[in-house]
Amino acid sequence: MTTETDDRETRHKARAVKHKQVVDARIAAAQIDKGLLLVLTGNGKGKSSSAFGMVARTLGHGRKAAVFQFIKGAMDVGEHAFFANHPDVIWEKCGEGFTWETQNRERDIASARAGWDKARAALADPAIHLVVLDELTYLIRYRYLALDEILPPILARPAMQHVVITGRAADDALIAAADTVSVIKDEKHAFRAGVRAQNGIDL
Amino acid sequence: MTTETDDRETRHKARAVKHKQVVDARIAAAQIDKGLLLVLTGNGKGKSSSAFGMVARTLGHGRKAAVFQFIKGAMDVGEHAFFANHPDVIWEKCGEGFTWETQNRERDIASARAGWDKARAALADPAIHLVVLDELTYLIRYRYLALDEILPPILARPAMQHVVITGRAADDALIAAADTVSVIKDEKHAFRAGVRAQNGIDL
C-alpha cells in the first residue's frame, strides 16, 4: 500500500468515525415512542403504495392494520387481493371512484360517510397498530366530509396507534396536525409518455 | 329543492361530465404496457415503504418479486419478516448498514458487489415481474459501484419487468433513464421532534 493510499484510507476512517458520532448522537436524542400521524401528499407516484408498505411492516411485527380506501373502492387492485384476507387486516373499500367517474355527488358523499363511520371505529380501537386512510384528502377537498368531522377522532386515537393519510392536496390543518409529512413531487411519470397503469406498480 | 340548489347541482353535473371527458381522453391516449423503471428519491419518508407496497401489489396479481436491500441488511425490519418467506419472493440482504456504521469501506464494497451480482441475475429473469433495488443510490454515491456496472443490466432487462430504485440523491443518469421519478420532500419528520424509528412505520 502506498503512502497516498494510506493517507486516503486514514482520512476516510476519520470521517467515518466522526459521522458515526454525529449520527449516534442524533439517534440517542430521539427516544420517544408514540403513535404517529403521517401525511403523504403531492402529485407524484408512491403515496398509497408507501402506506401499503407500512401495512406489510406492521404485519411483519405481528400487529394489526386497518385500511380504508376512500376512492379506489371499485377498482380491482393488487393490494386488496394481497392483503384483504390476511387475518390481521381489516380492509374496507369505501368509495366507487372519483366523482367524475360516478357522476353522482350524493352517492359519493354517502359512500364517504359510511366509510368514515367504519374508520372511526378503527381509530378508537387500541388493538389496531396502523390505520391507513387512503385518499382521505379528496373527501375534504371535495367537501364530502368536513375537517371538523375528520380531525377529532384522529387526534383522540389510542396513544400508540399510527395513522397514515394519503392523497393529493392535503389540507393545511392535516399537515399542521401531522408528525411526519412527505410531499411527493411528480418529477416524471410514465403515464405522460403514454404508458397506462401497470399491475404491480400502479394497481 | 330551491332553484339555487338546482342550479348548483346542474353546474356540478356539467363540470363532472366535462372532467370525465378530459380524464377518459387521457386514459384512452395511454395504452402502452411496458416494464417501468421507477426512481423514488429525495430526503422524505416513504421511498422504501412505497417499493414494498408495490411488492404487495405484484404478489396480489400472482406475480413474482425480488428485493435487494443494499444498506439495511443488518437491521431487523418488518418488511423482511413479512415478505421474505413468501414463495413468490426472493429477498436478499446485501448490506450491513451505512459505511459510518460498519466503519469498513472495503467490507461495504464487497457486500455491495456480492449483492449486485445477485440482483443482476434477477434482472435477467423474465419470470420476475418486479425487482426492487432498495437504497441502490448510495452504492453509486459512495462509489461502491460504478454507474457503468449498474445501468446496463437494468436497461437490458426483460421488456415487461418493472424495476424500482430507492434512496436519496439519485444520480442524474438514473433519473434520465427512468420512466417515472418521484422526489419525496421531507416537509416534516417526527425524528426531529425526538421520536425514534417506529415499528410498522419506519422498520
Side-chain angles (χ1 to χ4, degrees):
Chain A
M1 211 185 251
T2 67
T3 310
E4 202 192 324
T5 317
D6 276 348
D7 282 0
R8 202 188 301 144
E9 197 69 6
T10 309
R11 284 198 308 273
H12 171 78
K13 288 222 163 113
R15 271 201 313 272
V17 168
K18 192 162 181 188
H19 194 155
K20 183 165 165 56
Q21 287 166 352
V22 171
V23 174
D24 287 351
R26 276 193 210 143
I27 291 171
Q31 290 298 332
I32 300 167
D33 286 315
K34 65 173 282 203
L36 299 173
L37 174 58
L38 272 79
V39 173
L40 305 174
T41 190
N43 295 344
K45 194 260 175 304
K47 300 179 290 294
S48 296
S49 51
S50 181
F52 302 136
M54 292 183 241
V55 171
R57 283 181 170 154
T58 298
L59 298 174
H61 288 285
R63 312 298 296 270
K64 290 182 201 297
V67 176
F68 301 87
Q69 281 195 300
F70 284 102
I71 302 288
K72 288 188 207 133
M75 293 172 70
D76 196 17
V77 288
E79 60 267 29
H80 179 260
F82 184 66
F83 284 121
N85 295 319
H86 191 287
D88 290 335
V89 174
I90 293 167
W91 196 290
E92 295 285 349
K93 293 178 164 194
C94 317
E96 304 174 76
F98 284 98
T99 189
W100 62 81
E101 286 165 356
T102 63
Q103 303 278 312
N104 187 327
R105 185 173 168 86
E106 283 66 42
R107 215 171 72 195
D108 290 343
I109 291 174
S111 299
R113 189 164 303 280
W116 186 243
D117 285 343
K118 290 177 189 165
R120 276 172 41 215
L123 289 165
D125 182 352
I128 299 175
H129 186 69
L130 171 68
V131 177
V132 173
L133 304 170
D134 189 35
E135 301 191 310
L136 179 75
T137 60
Y138 303 106
L139 271 55
I140 301 164
R141 191 170 160 79
Y142 300 155
R143 304 186 186 207
Y144 291 177
L145 291 176
L147 253 175
D148 287 355
E149 297 175 83
I150 286 175
L151 261 184
I154 292 174
L155 298 177
R157 74 192 187 279
M160 292 309 299
Q161 185 185 73
H162 303 300
V163 172
V164 180
I165 295 172
T166 76
R168 297 183 182 206
D171 191 277
D172 287 346
L174 281 185
I175 287 176
D179 299 285
T180 294
V181 178
S182 292
V183 180
I184 300 179
K185 193 182 154 208
D186 176 5
E187 183 87 14
K188 202 192 255 194
H189 202 298
F191 184 68
R192 288 195 293 280
V195 181
R196 62 179 159 188
Q198 296 294 299
N199 285 354
I201 298 294
D202 304 296
L203 34 104
Chain B
M1 210 187 251
T2 67
T3 311
E4 201 190 325
T5 318
D6 276 348
D7 283 358
R8 202 188 301 145
E9 197 70 6
T10 309
R11 283 199 308 273
H12 171 77
K13 289 221 163 115
R15 270 202 312 274
V17 168
K18 193 163 181 185
H19 195 155
K20 182 166 165 55
Q21 286 165 350
V22 172
V23 173
D24 287 351
R26 277 192 209 144
I27 290 170
Q31 290 297 330
I32 300 166
D33 286 316
K34 64 173 282 199
L36 300 172
L37 174 59
L38 273 79
V39 173
L40 306 173
T41 190
N43 296 343
K45 195 260 175 304
K47 300 180 289 295
S48 296
S49 52
S50 180
F52 302 136
M54 292 182 239
V55 171
R57 283 181 171 156
T58 297
L59 298 173
H61 289 285
R63 311 300 295 268
K64 290 181 200 299
V67 177
F68 300 87
Q69 282 195 300
F70 284 103
I71 303 288
K72 287 189 207 131
M75 294 173 69
D76 196 18
V77 287
E79 60 267 29
H80 178 260
F82 184 66
F83 284 121
N85 294 319
H86 191 287
D88 290 334
V89 173
I90 294 169
W91 196 290
E92 295 284 348
K93 294 179 165 193
C94 317
E96 304 175 76
F98 284 98
T99 189
W100 62 81
E101 286 165 356
T102 63
Q103 303 277 308
N104 187 327
R105 186 172 166 84
E106 282 66 40
R107 214 170 73 195
D108 290 344
I109 291 174
S111 299
R113 189 164 302 279
W116 186 244
D117 285 343
K118 290 176 187 164
R120 276 173 39 214
L123 290 165
D125 182 353
I128 300 175
H129 187 70
L130 171 68
V131 177
V132 174
L133 303 170
D134 189 35
E135 301 190 312
L136 180 75
T137 60
Y138 303 107
L139 271 55
I140 301 164
R141 193 170 158 79
Y142 300 156
R143 304 187 188 203
Y144 291 177
L145 290 176
L147 253 174
D148 287 354
E149 297 176 83
I150 286 175
L151 261 183
I154 292 173
L155 298 178
R157 73 192 189 278
M160 292 310 298
Q161 186 185 72
H162 303 300
V163 172
V164 180
I165 294 172
T166 76
R168 297 183 183 205
D171 190 276
D172 288 345
L174 281 184
I175 287 176
D179 299 287
T180 294
V181 177
S182 291
V183 179
I184 300 179
K185 192 183 153 206
D186 176 6
E187 183 87 14
K188 202 193 256 195
H189 201 298
F191 184 68
R192 288 195 292 279
V195 180
R196 63 179 159 189
Q198 296 294 298
N199 285 355
I201 298 293
D202 303 295
L203 32 106

